[in-house]
Amino acid sequence: MKKHNILLIHADQHRADCIGAYGNRQIKTPAIDRLTQDGVLYENSYCSYPICTPSRYSLISGLYVHQHLCGDNHTTLPDGIQTFPKLLRQEGYHTACVGKMHFAPTYLDVGFDRMYLCEQVGPGRLDDDFHRQLKAEGLCDWVDTADQMGEHRPNAPEFYWKNFGILESDLDEAHHSTTWVGNQAMEILNTWQGDGNMLMVGFVKPHHPFDPPYPYSEMYRPEDMELLPGYTPQVLDRDMKRNTGFFSHADYTEADIKKCTAMYYGAISQIDFQVNRMISLLKEKGMYDDCMVIYTSDHGDYMGWHHMIGKINYMYEPLAKVPLIVKYPGNKRAGTHSQQMVSNVDVAPTILAQASIAPTYGMVGRDLSQEQKVPYLFAQDCDGYLVRDSRYKLLLCKQSASLLFDLQKDPYELHNLYDDSNYSSVRTRLKDALSNWMLFDTPRPLNLNEHAKLCGGDNPRNAFSGHREEMLRYFEEGFAKIPEKFLK
């Protein structure tokens, strides 16, 4: 059976409406826009958890975070949990990844035969290939170091704080992480022959700091930027109570947010350039039409919504929604838009379906190649849960105030209806749906690790020492000898 090639392109912190094909009139994303002409654009695509690592584990495992147990950026996916790269590899696929994965340990085996990494935060920054190369060339990504390394950020100079980390990269384009990731992807794609190839490409950007290199740093003029939908002149009190921001949201001016938007767009356009390189190469090799190509992200960015920038606050739409574009093999359903509510837990089953591989137990996502309407969409974060239907959205929180919105009347989530008696039945219905989802619809996966560490002492036996074969023969011989007492 033919094994379709698969290219999964994964950005970090890419707000869904910051792509031309999603209706943004200012940003330049011609390659991604062309991809939608050959595939399906999902207009209501959500991440399962708006933080990097938990969301990525959900993407590759098809499990929600309360199923795979990794609700923080420094967590390890349990060994026994299956992932789509593992299942593809078991069926003979050649699997590889380049760029940002954000696993712990850095080169965790989740099913990739080869990993060439470019990490941004935590121990991965100390282990990866990208920073080893920069070090060898006597270079350092200074802006990113100041922004992402907690031991250095408090000592960053005044201009970093004054500009909210919105600075042109100190690296030239040739040495920037986006270019490095693109180059590694091109090297892998150049080796593809025939079928049975899978590559995941993880870009660090447009995640903050918003520091594209020249010329992308000057591609958009801040003064020309239109504020994205959901902008407010001040921060809402409830948002400031929940989290003041990586930089204080209250300190941003409208000009600051426009400058940030311009640099954010520049970072996305730089990624788009690399997407074009990859797709052009597949076309040159005659492999594009029968290849599955996916573009998505782990979570979004407020980018002015309620006067905020970044993440770590309520799961408002621009944070929870992510772009999802799927070009199916043979360009099936080319040029269509889907209104169905989908989650990034649906990506793994969708990929596996194209490889004719059945999802494993607990993998609750759906095959998106089959259009299906679902009544509810779910997500979670460190403080609670998101559940929404076609009109209403509930954010049920443990520590912060819970919120309920009528998205039809209030698309920018300004008016909290949680305590409004007129909406008590809506609140109860969404809570009930959430309870059913948690208790019955998302079973815990079965975890098995035959290589788990054994206790001390001389008597424990390793499962792979060869003794089991000896014991099997012992039982076979013993069973063949029926005790004489039973023959009387």
Side-chain angles (χ1 to χ4, degrees), residues 11-265:
D12 192 321
Q13 205 162 309
H14 190 165
R15 177 170 159 158
D17 60 2
C18 292
I19 291 176
Y22 275 86
N24 191 304
R25 300 178 300 175
Q26 289 198 303
I27 197 166
K28 299 179 179 69
T29 52
I32 300 174
D33 295 346
R34 284 194 297 271
L35 184 63
T36 68
Q37 297 172 13
D38 298 326
V40 183
L41 183 151
Y42 293 89
E43 295 189 357
N44 293 296
S45 167
Y46 289 76
C47 66
S48 58
Y49 201 103
I51 298 177
C52 299
T53 299
S55 182
R56 291 159 190 268
Y57 284 151
S58 288
L59 179 90
I60 63 172
S61 70
L63 303 173
Y64 288 99
V65 173
H66 67 275
Q67 295 179 286
H68 64 59
L69 308 178
C70 298
D72 187 77
N73 271 343
H74 196 59
T75 50
T76 303
L77 193 70
D79 293 333
I81 289 180
Q82 284 288 14
T83 65
F84 79 79
K86 285 183 181 179
L87 294 168
L88 289 174
R89 186 168 66 184
Q90 289 172 15
E91 293 299 318
Y93 269 80
H94 304 290
T95 60
C97 70
V98 300
K100 181 175 180 179
M101 296 294 120
H102 214 309
F103 301 152
T106 307
Y107 290 83
L108 177 69
D109 182 7
V110 298
F112 296 114
D113 297 321
R114 294 178 287 168
M115 301 176 73
Y116 303 99
L117 301 183
C118 173
E119 300 296 345
Q120 188 183 31
V121 68
R125 194 180 184 90
L126 309 178
D127 302 336
D128 71 355
D129 301 273
F130 173 66
H131 287 96
R132 268 181 272 170
Q133 182 173 322
L134 287 185
K135 181 176 180 291
E137 297 187 36
L139 299 171
C140 177
D141 51 347
W142 186 93
V143 178
D144 206 75
T145 298
D147 197 78
Q148 292 294 294
M149 296 191 73
E151 60 269 44
H152 297 305
R153 190 168 187 257
N155 302 316
E158 182 181 358
F159 70 84
Y160 165 81
W161 297 98
K162 183 179 179 181
N163 288 282
F164 305 104
I166 309 167
L167 299 162
E168 179 182 283
S169 176
D170 50 296
L171 297 176
D172 60 16
E173 183 188 354
H175 291 91
H176 193 268
S177 68
T178 299
T179 302
W180 187 90
V181 173
N183 287 343
Q184 301 304 309
M186 292 294 284
E187 287 189 20
I188 297 285
L189 292 175
N190 263 310
T191 68
W192 278 15
Q193 293 182 355
D195 59 10
N197 302 289
M198 184 271 153
L199 173 63
M200 180 173 175
V201 182
F203 288 103
V204 172
K205 299 300 175 180
H207 190 287
H208 65 87
F210 306 109
D211 64 335
Y214 177 84
Y216 296 98
S217 58
E218 297 185 6
M219 182 177 251
Y220 302 92
R221 288 161 42 94
E223 56 269 29
D224 295 337
M225 290 294 96
E226 297 176 2
L227 294 164
L228 285 165
Y231 170 81
T232 57
Q234 289 86 33
V235 196
L236 303 187
D237 288 341
R238 67 168 180 252
D239 297 340
M240 284 298 285
K241 285 179 182 177
R242 171 144 183 177
N243 192 294
T244 58
F246 195 64
F247 297 92
S248 177
H249 299 306
D251 292 342
Y252 296 126
T253 65
E254 181 179 309
D256 292 327
I257 292 176
K258 285 187 173 185
K259 179 182 178 183
C260 189
T261 304
M263 297 292 264
Y264 186 69
Y265 285 7

Side-chain angles (χ1 to χ4, degrees), residues 272-316:
D272 187 81
F273 177 82
Q274 299 300 330
V275 172
N276 182 63
R277 292 178 68 200
M278 289 182 265
I279 291 176
S280 296
L281 178 58
L282 289 176
K283 290 180 177 178
E284 289 172 14
K285 292 169 70 73
M287 305 176 83
Y288 175 74
D289 287 343
D290 201 43
C291 183
M292 183 182 203
V293 183
I294 301 171
Y295 185 91
T296 190
S297 182
D298 52 358
H299 55 80
D301 189 295
Y302 297 117
M303 201 50 55
W305 184 278
H306 295 188
H307 209 87
M308 296 188 292
I309 290 174
K311 52 184 178 180
I312 313 299
N313 210 291
Y314 283 108
M315 288 184 281
Y316 293 126

